Amino acid sequence: MSNKTAVSVVVPVYNQELFIGRCLRSLLDQTLDKESYEIVVVNDCSKDNTLPILEKFKNKIKLINNKKNMGLPYSLNRGIKSAQGRFIVRVDSDDYVNREFLNFLQMYLLYNPKMDSVCCDYYLVDDKENIIKQMDSLKNPIGCAIMFRVEALIKIGLYDKSFKVHEDKDLRIRFLKHYNINKISLPLYRYRRHSQNITKNKKKMNLHYKKLLKKHS
């Protein structure tokens, strides 16, 4: 990447052969100048055909392969640490975005230097990309579609690797103690709901939610 890189998109991926191609194509089709952003994909030792698909994009993305499965927070932190952009945004590998996603978010931060981060609203979609509902990202927050100033993320210590789920909630709680999250009321993100979502694992979700409450009580 050139020294003009303004935005780093971090995409953690594990066993998403069905959706990772769609995700990357949407990120490569942005209206933001290609030299102004990079796509950092961290493959967490996928067992399916994710890696062969990623190899097809290797000249257009920065690909990092974990030697063993380390979990989502570790992969996110590794991606952030290797990023060159002044702004960081997470996009999950089963989701995709509008063509103006990066342009609008980075423009907001560029013209509002006192703002620490900005999110956008999103469409909840099914596995066939049918829109289910438009969601308010402040009333119904998700871990993706928030563009941060990288120095703010570093100062709060990035993601807590002990959280296998709810890592986004933990990060948000710690971030909001020192910084602000603002919003663009445009649905520029597509959050896919399907049978393989990690949130379907109720036992794991409940276990880590209790851990979250204990940590921040």
Side-chain angles (χ1 to χ4, degrees):
M1 292 296 165
S2 74
N3 56 12
K4 296 181 181 180
T5 303
V7 178
S8 293
V9 187
V10 177
V11 183
V13 58
Y14 176 70
N15 289 354
Q16 287 293 348
E17 62 181 6
L18 294 179
F19 304 122
I20 184 59
R22 178 69 172 98
C23 173
L24 294 180
R25 286 193 297 274
S26 75
L27 290 171
L28 290 167
D29 191 37
Q30 294 294 291
T31 59
L32 187 63
D33 187 284
K34 294 295 184 290
E35 289 191 353
S36 296
Y37 72 98
E38 64 176 352
I39 303 169
V40 182
V41 180
V42 184
N43 175 35
D44 197 17
C45 202
S46 295
K47 306 298 184 188
D48 61 359
N49 289 317
T50 293
L51 183 55
I53 294 171
L54 292 176
E55 291 288 348
K56 295 179 181 179
F57 293 90
K58 64 182 179 181
N59 294 327
K60 298 178 180 180
I61 65 174
K62 182 177 182 179
L63 178 59
I64 300 172
N65 287 300
N66 291 341
K67 292 183 179 179
K68 61 179 181 178
N69 185 262
M70 299 296 294
L72 179 56
Y74 176 93
S75 296
L76 286 165
N77 287 348
R78 190 175 183 192
I80 294 168
K81 289 175 182 177
S82 70
Q84 297 180 28
R86 59 188 294 199
F87 306 132
I88 300 285
V89 62
R90 166 184 168 183
V91 172
D92 279 356
S93 55
D94 49 354
D95 299 334
Y96 59 103
V97 299
N98 181 278
R99 294 187 71 234
E100 297 287 358
F101 174 69
L102 296 181
N103 186 33
F104 283 16
L105 292 182
Q106 68 95 32
M107 190 72 70
Y108 183 94
L109 292 180
L110 285 174
Y111 283 94
N112 294 280
K114 293 185 178 180
M115 302 303 176
D116 305 307
S117 68
V118 61
C119 62
C120 64
D121 286 342
Y122 59 97
Y123 283 132
L124 189 65
V125 301
D126 63 20
D127 58 359
K128 295 182 180 179
E129 301 184 8
N130 297 307
I131 294 174
I132 300 171
K133 187 178 182 181
Q134 181 173 335
M135 307 294 286
D136 184 314
S137 59
L138 291 183
K139 293 180 180 179
N140 298 280
I142 54 176
C144 320
I146 310 172
M147 188 173 286
F148 299 95
R149 296 186 188 276
V150 66
E151 62 269 20
L153 282 181
I154 291 171
K155 285 180 180 178
I156 66 167
L158 305 183
Y159 287 90
D160 185 337
K161 291 181 287 188
S162 68
F163 282 92
K164 302 307 179 186
V165 293
H166 294 310
E167 79 296 326
D168 56 323
K169 292 183 178 64
D170 172 70
L171 183 83
R172 180 182 287 263
I173 291 170
R174 290 185 288 115
F175 188 86
L176 287 173
K177 288 179 179 179
H178 306 282
Y179 303 106
N180 53 59
I181 298 177
N182 301 276
K183 188 187 81 162
I184 295 175
S185 297
L186 291 172
L188 301 174
Y189 194 89
R190 309 295 187 260
Y191 185 79
R192 196 189 298 267
R193 176 183 288 175
H194 57 90
S195 60
Q196 299 304 312
N197 284 130
I198 193 171
T199 53
K200 299 291 185 181
N201 189 329
K202 298 300 182 183
K203 183 177 180 181
K204 181 181 286 189
M205 293 293 288
N206 289 336
L207 176 66
H208 284 272
Y209 187 69
K210 291 178 182 177
K211 182 178 179 179
L212 184 74
L213 292 177
K214 183 177 181 181
K215 178 178 178 179
H216 296 288
S217 61

